[in-house]
Amino acid sequence: MENISRDLFVPVSKEEKQYETIVRPSMSYWQDAWRRLKANKVAMASMWAIVFFIVLAIVGPMVMPYRYDEQLRGHEALGPSLKHLFGTDELGRDLFVRCLYGMRISLSIGIVATIINIVIGVLYRGISGYIGGKVDNIMMRIVDILYSVPLMIYVILLSVSLKPALEKLFDKYAFLSGLQTVGAPLVCIYIALGLTYWISMARIVRGEILSLKQQEYVTAAKTIGASGQKILLRHLIPNAMGSIIVTATPQIPSAIFTESFLSFIGLGVDAPVPSLGSLASDGINGFIYYPYRLFFPSLLLCLIILAFNLFGDGLRDALDPRMRK
């Protein structure tokens, strides 16, 4: 064998070394998404605004000296001041505390309805897309039928029809007494939004599952004997979470707006429990003389919805694989 001479080895120049420089450290999909989300100043500001609203809605009513239903004699129909930041209504109730409690109701409805939406939509269309064939065709036709009717009609019908049944259940069974403190109208809205908002989620998930189940790792899982349930829960759904999150985020402000609309027309929570929609509805009656009663709850509602929408846009850009560089 011919000996290799040392003269054949030439040191690498500085210019050549630059080609081997690592541009950025290796990171996972979620780490890269978080990096791009942090680079989006508007999305980050919206995220911190959402955190601020949630903390304010939870802690605010606890530290305030007034309850949301407390009527203060001699404080009826007062304007905004240092003692009552948003003023008081005609019954002497502090509007700032009522707006904070209304934010709690609205945010809880948006978050709970979205969680129910994700669970139902992901499982329903995940099973449909993975099995395929006649099962997928039948389940898809059911979604098409439900999608043909406006969702608001479903929400209103379910809210009206479920309320008497839930009130009877709360009175009959003692273990449901905890839900009775929440109130049958609020539970009705949770259920109604959760049972209707999953339809749009289902279509997104089906498309993702149909695409992912053709991948090599799914074929490898089938080869080693993995069950369909294991493939769906451990491989397909986790890999579709990016699209699921992007789809679910805009539905939170949509659910908040729907609840506010129902409360605005009198189909939401019962008095004296406030929501931003019911407060805005009450503020319309005396808008000419007391415009602040309509302005403050409407402003909070607009800011919450705007924050969620801007954060959803930033999250969509961060989780989009085509945006990776």
Side-chain angles (χ1 to χ4, degrees):
M1 183 176 180
E2 185 180 355
N3 294 329
I4 300 177
S5 175
R6 290 179 176 269
D7 297 334
L8 298 176
F9 296 92
V10 180
V12 179
S13 63
K14 293 182 179 181
E15 291 77 10
E16 292 175 329
K17 287 182 178 181
Q18 292 179 355
Y19 291 105
E20 302 296 328
T21 303
I22 298 177
V23 178
R24 66 176 184 180
S26 177
M27 58 182 62
S28 66
Y29 168 77
W30 294 104
Q31 289 174 333
D32 188 53
W34 173 243
R35 178 187 64 83
R36 284 185 279 116
L37 181 63
K38 288 192 297 183
N40 190 331
K41 303 301 182 183
V42 176
M44 291 301 296
S46 301
M47 184 190 73
W48 288 114
I50 292 171
V51 173
F52 172 75
F53 286 135
I54 293 175
V55 173
L56 186 64
I58 295 174
V59 179
M62 299 180 182
V63 299
M64 291 298 294
Y66 316 114
R67 300 190 311 272
Y68 71 88
D69 58 347
E70 184 178 359
Q71 300 181 16
L72 305 173
R73 293 185 178 181
H75 293 251
E76 293 83 0
L78 296 179
S81 63
L82 293 178
K83 191 171 184 179
H84 304 286
L85 296 180
F86 289 177
T88 60
D89 61 10
E90 68 279 0
L91 299 178
R93 296 175 296 190
D94 186 85
L95 284 180
F96 183 66
V97 178
R98 290 179 63 79
C99 284
L100 294 181
Y101 200 87
M103 287 172 53
R104 180 188 296 184
I105 297 294
S106 299
L107 288 170
S108 67
I109 286 177
I111 295 173
V112 171
T114 303
I115 293 175
I116 298 175
N117 162 36
I118 291 176
V119 173
I120 297 178
V122 169
L123 291 180
Y124 184 89
R125 295 314 291 168
I127 295 172
S128 170
Y130 179 73
I131 296 177
K134 293 183 178 179
V135 175
D136 179 47
N137 192 26
I138 294 173
M139 297 177 75
M140 189 63 186
R141 297 294 77 77
I142 295 174
V143 172
D144 290 339
I145 294 172
L146 295 175
Y147 199 77
S148 62
V149 181
L151 294 181
M152 187 61 69
I153 295 180
Y154 288 126
V155 174
I156 293 175
L157 290 177
L158 287 172
S159 299
V160 174
S161 60
L162 288 176
K163 182 178 177 180
L166 288 177
E167 290 176 346
K168 292 180 180 179
L169 286 176
F170 293 164
D171 294 336
K172 185 176 181 180
Y173 298 102
F175 67 91
L176 295 176
S177 58
L179 292 177
Q180 192 171 9
T181 59
V182 177
L186 188 56
V187 176
C188 286
I189 296 177
Y190 286 147
I191 297 174
L193 294 178
L195 293 180
T196 53
Y197 270 57
W198 63 271
I199 298 175
S200 58
M201 170 70 71
R203 293 192 166 196
I204 300 297
V205 174
R206 177 180 180 270
E208 287 292 322
I209 297 299
L210 289 176
S211 175
L212 291 174
K213 76 176 186 178
Q214 308 297 330
Q215 300 297 321
E216 291 79 3
Y217 60 84
V218 177
T219 305
K222 292 180 180 178
T223 304
I224 62 177
S227 62
Q229 178 182 357
K230 188 174 182 179
I231 293 174
L232 182 63
L233 297 179
R234 291 195 177 184
H235 298 286
L236 297 180
I237 292 179
N239 281 281
M241 282 306 297
S243 299
I244 292 172
I245 293 174
V246 170
T247 306
T249 304
Q251 292 186 341
I252 297 178
S254 178
I256 292 174
F257 180 80
T258 302
E259 180 277 328
S260 300
F261 172 75
L262 292 176
S263 298
F264 186 84
I265 63 177
L267 296 177
V269 295
D270 289 339
V273 178
S275 75
L276 295 178
S278 63
L279 291 174
S281 178
D282 295 339
I284 286 183
N285 298 327
F287 174 71
I288 296 178
Y289 301 101
Y290 311 104
Y292 59 89
R293 296 186 190 176
L294 176 62
F295 174 76
F296 288 117
S298 301
L299 177 64
L300 289 175
L301 182 61
C302 292
L303 291 176
I304 292 172
I305 293 178
L306 178 63
F308 272 107
N309 284 330
L310 293 177
F311 178 67
D313 290 340
L315 198 61
R316 178 195 59 202
D317 295 338
L319 294 176
D320 190 349
R322 293 170 294 183
M323 300 291 292
R324 300 189 72 178
K325 298 180 181 178

